[in-house]
Amino acid sequence: MSALLAELRAIVGDAGLLALPDDMARYDSDGRGAGGAAIAVVRPATTGEVSALMRALHRHGAPVVPQGGRSGLAGAGLAAGAVVLSLERLAQAPQIDPINRTVQVDSGVPLSSLNAAAAAHGLTFPIDLGADPSVGGMVVANTGGARFLRYGDVRRNLLGLEVVLADGEGTVIELGGPVWKDNSGLDLKQLFTSSAGALGVVTRATLALQPLPANRVTALVGLATPAAAAPLLVELERRAGTLLTAFEGISATALELALAHVPRLRRPFAASPPYSVLIELSGGSGLPAGLLTNLLEEAIVPLIEIGTAIDAAVDEGDSLWAIRHAIPEGLRAHGSVIACDIAVRRGDLSRFRELAAAEVAQRWPQLVVADFGHVGDGGLHFNMVWPRDAGPAPAGLAAAVQSLVFAMVVEQFSGSFSAEHGIGPRNIDHYARFTPPPVRDLAGRVQRLVAPAGLGRVDFGAQLENAHV
Amino acid sequence: MSALLAELRAIVGDAGLLALPDDMARYDSDGRGAGGAAIAVVRPATTGEVSALMRALHRHGAPVVPQGGRSGLAGAGLAAGAVVLSLERLAQAPQIDPINRTVQVDSGVPLSSLNAAAAAHGLTFPIDLGADPSVGGMVVANTGGARFLRYGDVRRNLLGLEVVLADGEGTVIELGGPVWKDNSGLDLKQLFTSSAGALGVVTRATLALQPLPANRVTALVGLATPAAAAPLLVELERRAGTLLTAFEGISATALELALAHVPRLRRPFAASPPYSVLIELSGGSGLPAGLLTNLLEEAIVPLIEIGTAIDAAVDEGDSLWAIRHAIPEGLRAHGSVIACDIAVRRGDLSRFRELAAAEVAQRWPQLVVADFGHVGDGGLHFNMVWPRDAGPAPAGLAAAVQSLVFAMVVEQFSGSFSAEHGIGPRNIDHYARFTPPPVRDLAGRVQRLVAPAGLGRVDFGAQLENAHV
């Protein structure tokens, strides 16, 4: 152990190696909470150091887990009993090409810093999240977010990667680059995207940027029933086309919990409607004044007249987005959260919500369903709260609830049990259960081929026999 | 051989097997011309038949090449000396989910049929091409096209694949499906996208569709210099945002050749300007009348006033697109075409054009450079014509010209030597030359892992020693 640490220190210097428990504590938790203690934290500052570290760690047989901004929710960046390879010091200033609308950016740069740099050129990396992940973490999680409807996920905006392979040699490869269109071979960078950090260490990315919209209007529309959301979405897509940049759904309970527990929010409606949708239209500087508001009103006013919609609040600032982004905080304040990050067909969302809520209510009457999510892309945070005032939650509650909900999603709705959070130790058992054997087999063999020396926390060949579900 | 044919016939029936030269002739050429003769053509009508064929062919050690709509340009679907596995009968009616905006579609369905079915629901698969490829061919080529700027390539609109593996067993796997967002494991469908049909047989796809824009205006703008294109593009992106759906470039020579050789076209300008750009703005039904035309005029009129633009033609129909799509026909009518399907950074396009044209003119003064392409995404068909009236072209001219141009693209501009056409026998030597050895090595090993029984025409592990460049 001390020989390993000495070797690592020789590569990264004193500032790059942490081995004291107090120094290491903050590397042991992510967006969902604490994992176990790591055996050391190395923080390389260059790709060359990452490569040298990978060689040394492999020679010593030490397990290693790449780590980004620790905002992940599946536990893929946590390293109990292993060495944390933190990319946080791989964070030079992003290099922006404003005419090409691209940026070359180090793995450790936070999304907020990337977007601050892009905004100076009137550009944005259009992945909208409550959290502030690192670029490398976003790549290996293939982050989606609230504007997926228009701009897609990280994969859809990714042009190139620099990767250090887990091949025992620390081989550095460049895949893609600053051109938008390239079909000159297998697109191997796709393998590392959504890989949970288990196929290689992403050290640098080239990303496509979008023009920062000069005009933006949001509306929070209270609907009489959740089923009214899908027709409104389709109508807005027809009328507003690509000007529609977000369409989020909020259950009455999620809205109430956010307003009750987050005092900085303004209350949009006198009484919470059965279901609300947050709609964003945005576009370029040349749009005439009032266009976006008119488009919204032309879609919403007829619904209010016939009673399908109850009320609407319109805003050109961020006050309605603030409500949407405060929901997770509102749920946490109310009790212990059980999260189901799922996706189904857009037209199935309201039926799924109804069936799943009924099943949950029958089995666990004390659980409060407080779902919200991305109606525009079929994604739903079907989250539940075991309220503080209900006493301690039964042992194994979260796993049992997720098992029930995920089985419904996959088996009845052909949906996804991990729409945006990816795979990690926290849901690997569900992966083993719901991924067909030939797919798991191929994934496991691809992983062993690409990363024969081993890396990260996920075995994509995971066998069902090992599952605890 | 007759034992093999009997076995294939037992699987697909008489209608599914062609072995007479006259019947087979049309399967021997693609969008670029004829390859050699195949030894047989099998035309399965179900995924089960594809699987049985793959098992039988492997058992007999017969080489097999999947084939789509034969519109490819790299030769990946041609099967000289091998068995053609034509997907053309795998073509049941597309199943459209209008609320989800998705379609499940068989591999053999042509793009035109897919879009006719989608249009009935006010939807479109937004890949715009001059040709009419099959869905499966589009997946393995990762087709781009003229609206890439807004809607991306096939990969970006692909949600799921059904694939028959070249594993000797004909294993059928389903990867992804009708949900838009799914990060529940390695995204293995990405491996088969842009695979030149060499990793597995794509039998079915689930695609995302877009709302068909109810409003659309195009302008052909004559510019005083090619360098004026990039600033106009950036200005339009800022002003029109996502309403900008195409920005194509046309050299004076390409425009003249199209107008000279394709009589159905109307002449847009009295005299051809040094460079032209075809701009399309489009959007939903709710846009006020005149908005798109106003946005165009506000960007173009100031350029005409200062002399940066010379003239502009505006159209709400397809007459300007007709000119753009007729260019390949115009070039072919003038002589023998040498095509370079390249991409560089958007800001480098005009400098690249200038440098490459100068090099070509110095080495081959008789060659006519007549480039056109996708300025909005940095893609360029840097095509040249050896005129009919110049007599026969020197032996090896195309390979020598491509070698020069591609080396400039890759080495001086960090660009792509195959932006949209993919890899096939016609450019495998360039692949071997320009792909770094560790990337080729990894690609070859991934290919052998996924398709151990062998398939198609491309070896992604191709060695430079075998290259004839």
Side-chain angles (χ1 to χ4, degrees):
Chain A
M1 179 68 184
S2 64
L4 169 63
L5 292 184
E7 199 168 333
L8 299 180
R9 193 184 310 272
I11 295 166
V12 293
D14 285 341
L17 180 70
L18 308 176
L20 299 175
D22 280 2
D23 294 341
M24 290 162 58
R26 71 191 188 97
Y27 298 86
D28 288 344
S29 60
D30 67 3
R32 195 67 85 205
I39 57 179
V41 176
V42 284
R43 306 187 304 161
T46 66
T47 299
E49 289 182 5
V50 174
S51 173
L53 289 168
M54 290 291 282
R55 276 197 303 277
L57 288 160
H58 178 61
R59 208 165 44 238
H60 286 266
V64 55
V65 180
Q67 186 182 83
R70 292 186 296 279
S71 59
L73 297 170
L78 298 184
V83 175
V84 172
L85 180 64
S86 167
L87 282 313
E88 67 187 358
R89 288 174 72 221
L90 215 65
Q92 291 192 45
Q95 295 179 285
I96 292 173
D97 178 338
I99 297 178
N100 203 38
R101 281 208 276 113
T102 52
V103 59
Q104 290 193 292
V105 56
D106 285 354
S107 187
V109 171
L111 174 61
S112 58
S113 307
L114 167 59
N115 266 332
H121 297 275
L123 298 171
T124 183
F125 187 58
I127 310 285
D128 178 73
L129 293 170
D132 192 18
S134 69
V135 164
M138 293 180 80
V139 170
V140 299
N142 188 30
T143 308
R147 293 191 177 96
F148 180 101
L149 168 67
R150 179 58 43 226
Y151 300 110
D153 49 19
V154 170
R155 186 187 303 282
R156 213 174 285 190
N157 297 279
L158 180 70
L159 302 181
L161 284 183
E162 179 189 77
V163 179
V164 178
L165 294 178
D167 61 353
E169 308 291 328
T171 303
V172 181
I173 57 174
E174 295 270 355
L175 301 167
V179 294
W180 284 32
K181 211 154 63 175
D182 181 17
N183 282 293
S184 60
L186 292 186
D187 191 351
L188 295 174
K189 69 177 179 293
Q190 304 296 340
L191 279 175
F192 302 95
T193 311
S194 185
S195 67
L199 263 68
V201 182
V202 171
T203 48
R204 198 167 163 80
T206 306
L207 305 171
L209 301 173
Q210 294 291 331
L212 197 56
N215 285 291
R216 191 157 66 88
V217 177
T218 54
L220 189 70
V221 183
L223 298 173
T225 67
L232 175 56
L233 168 64
V234 170
E235 173 68 5
L236 274 166
E237 291 188 325
R238 198 177 64 78
R239 297 181 65 83
T242 55
L243 298 175
L244 178 68
T245 43
F247 192 99
E248 300 278 295
I250 307 175
S251 65
T253 310
L255 182 59
E256 277 305 318
L257 290 178
L259 294 172
H261 292 288
V262 186
R264 66 178 181 274
L265 304 176
R266 79 172 168 99
R267 178 171 282 274
F269 304 124
S272 285
Y275 199 71
S276 304
V277 289
L278 175 65
I279 303 165
E280 180 186 82
L281 300 187
S282 65
S285 64
L287 298 185
L291 171 67
L292 299 179
T293 307
N294 288 347
L295 282 167
L296 277 173
E297 285 176 355
E298 286 162 15
I300 297 166
V301 170
L303 298 187
I304 291 183
E305 283 166 1
I306 60 172
T308 300
I310 295 169
D311 201 352
V314 175
D315 180 24
E316 297 194 9
D318 287 323
S319 74
L320 299 174
W321 274 116
I323 295 173
R324 167 65 184 81
H325 284 314
I327 294 172
E329 184 181 343
L331 268 59
R332 282 193 304 271
H334 193 64
S336 174
V337 175
I338 299 172
C340 295
D341 161 41
I342 67 99
V344 296
R345 290 175 176 92
R346 306 196 308 179
D348 283 345
L349 267 177
S350 109
R351 193 164 58 93
F352 166 77
R353 291 181 69 247
E354 210 171 301
L355 288 178
E359 283 275 340
V360 165
Q362 196 190 339
R363 302 262 303 260
W364 301 282
Q366 285 159 294
L367 263 184
V368 176
V369 174
D371 64 293
F372 58 99
H374 315 295
V375 172
D377 62 43
L380 189 66
H381 297 290
F382 190 79
N383 289 2
M384 290 142 282
V385 186
W386 183 268
R388 283 194 206 300
D389 54 23
L397 176 68
V401 172
Q402 287 175 331
S403 217
L404 176 86
V405 172
F406 292 163
M408 188 178 270
V409 167
V410 174
E411 290 156 14
Q412 289 182 49
F413 288 85
S414 304
S416 172
F417 68 89
S418 187
E420 18 177 64
H421 297 166
I423 298 297
R426 295 204 182 94
N427 59 4
I428 188 71
D429 290 348
H430 300 296
Y431 171 83
R433 175 174 171 194
F434 294 117
T435 310
V439 175
R440 255 187 297 131
D441 172 63
L442 183 57
R445 287 187 295 125
V446 167
Q447 176 177 14
R448 288 190 295 278
L449 177 89
V450 177
L455 185 69
R457 277 309 185 210
V458 174
D459 170 12
F460 288 105
Q463 295 304 301
L464 193 51
E465 302 85 88
N466 302 331
H468 316 301
V469 180
Chain B
M1 179 68 184
S2 64
L4 170 62
L5 292 183
E7 198 168 334
L8 300 180
R9 194 183 309 273
I11 295 167
V12 293
D14 285 340
L17 180 70
L18 309 175
L20 298 175
D22 280 2
D23 295 342
M24 289 162 57
R26 71 190 188 98
Y27 297 86
D28 288 344
S29 60
D30 66 3
R32 193 70 86 205
I39 56 179
V41 176
V42 284
R43 306 188 303 162
T46 66
T47 298
E49 288 182 7
V50 175
S51 173
L53 288 169
M54 291 291 282
R55 276 196 305 276
L57 288 160
H58 178 61
R59 208 165 45 237
H60 286 268
V64 55
V65 180
Q67 186 183 84
R70 293 186 296 278
S71 60
L73 298 170
L78 299 184
V83 174
V84 172
L85 180 64
S86 167
L87 282 314
E88 66 188 357
R89 289 174 72 223
L90 215 64
Q92 292 192 44
Q95 296 179 282
I96 292 174
D97 178 338
I99 297 177
N100 203 38
R101 279 207 276 114
T102 53
V103 60
Q104 289 193 293
V105 57
D106 284 355
S107 186
V109 171
L111 174 60
S112 58
S113 306
L114 168 60
N115 266 332
H121 297 275
L123 299 170
T124 184
F125 186 58
I127 310 286
D128 178 72
L129 292 170
D132 193 19
S134 68
V135 164
M138 293 180 79
V139 170
V140 300
N142 189 28
T143 309
R147 293 192 177 97
F148 180 102
L149 168 68
R150 177 59 43 226
Y151 300 110
D153 49 19
V154 170
R155 187 188 302 281
R156 213 174 286 189
N157 296 279
L158 180 70
L159 302 181
L161 285 182
E162 179 189 76
V163 179
V164 177
L165 294 178
D167 60 352
E169 307 291 328
T171 303
V172 181
I173 57 173
E174 295 270 356
L175 302 167
V179 293
W180 285 31
K181 213 156 61 176
D182 181 15
N183 281 293
S184 61
L186 292 186
D187 191 351
L188 296 174
K189 71 177 178 293
Q190 304 297 339
L191 278 175
F192 301 95
T193 312
S194 185
S195 66
L199 262 69
V201 183
V202 170
T203 48
R204 197 168 164 78
T206 306
L207 305 171
L209 301 172
Q210 293 291 331
L212 197 56
N215 285 291
R216 191 158 66 89
V217 177
T218 55
L220 189 70
V221 183
L223 298 173
T225 66
L232 175 56
L233 169 64
V234 169
E235 173 67 5
L236 274 166
E237 291 188 326
R238 198 177 64 78
R239 296 182 65 84
T242 55
L243 299 175
L244 178 68
T245 45
F247 193 99
E248 300 279 295
I250 308 175
S251 66
T253 310
L255 182 59
E256 277 305 319
L257 290 178
L259 295 172
H261 293 286
V262 186
R264 67 178 181 275
L265 303 176
R266 77 172 169 99
R267 178 170 283 274
F269 305 124
S272 284
Y275 200 72
S276 303
V277 289
L278 175 65
I279 304 166
E280 180 187 82
L281 300 188
S282 65
S285 64
L287 297 185
L291 171 67
L292 299 179
T293 307
N294 288 348
L295 281 167
L296 277 173
E297 285 176 353
E298 285 163 15
I300 296 166
V301 170
L303 297 187
I304 291 184
E305 283 168 359
I306 61 172
T308 300
I310 294 168
D311 202 352
V314 175
D315 180 24
E316 297 193 10
D318 286 323
S319 75
L320 299 173
W321 274 116
I323 296 174
R324 166 65 185 83
H325 285 313
I327 294 172
E329 183 181 345
L331 268 59
R332 282 194 304 269
H334 193 63
S336 174
V337 175
I338 300 172
C340 295
D341 161 39
I342 66 101
V344 296
R345 290 175 176 92
R346 305 196 309 179
D348 282 344
L349 267 177
S350 108
R351 193 164 59 93
F352 167 77
R353 290 180 70 248
E354 210 171 301
L355 288 177
E359 283 275 339
V360 165
Q362 196 190 337
R363 302 264 302 262
W364 300 283
Q366 285 159 293
L367 264 183
V368 177
V369 174
D371 64 293
F372 58 100
H374 316 295
V375 173
D377 62 43
L380 189 65
H381 298 290
F382 190 78
N383 289 2
M384 289 143 282
V385 186
W386 184 267
R388 283 194 205 300
D389 54 23
L397 177 67
V401 172
Q402 288 174 332
S403 219
L404 177 86
V405 171
F406 292 164
M408 189 178 271
V409 167
V410 175
E411 290 157 13
Q412 289 181 48
F413 288 86
S414 305
S416 172
F417 68 91
S418 188
E420 18 178 63
H421 297 166
I423 298 297
R426 295 205 182 93
N427 60 4
I428 188 70
D429 289 348
H430 300 296
Y431 172 82
R433 175 174 172 195
F434 294 117
T435 309
V439 175
R440 256 188 296 132
D441 172 64
L442 182 58
R445 287 187 293 125
V446 167
Q447 178 177 13
R448 288 190 294 280
L449 176 88
V450 176
L455 185 70
R457 277 307 184 211
V458 174
D459 170 11
F460 288 106
Q463 294 303 300
L464 193 51
E465 302 84 88
N466 302 331
H468 318 301
V469 180

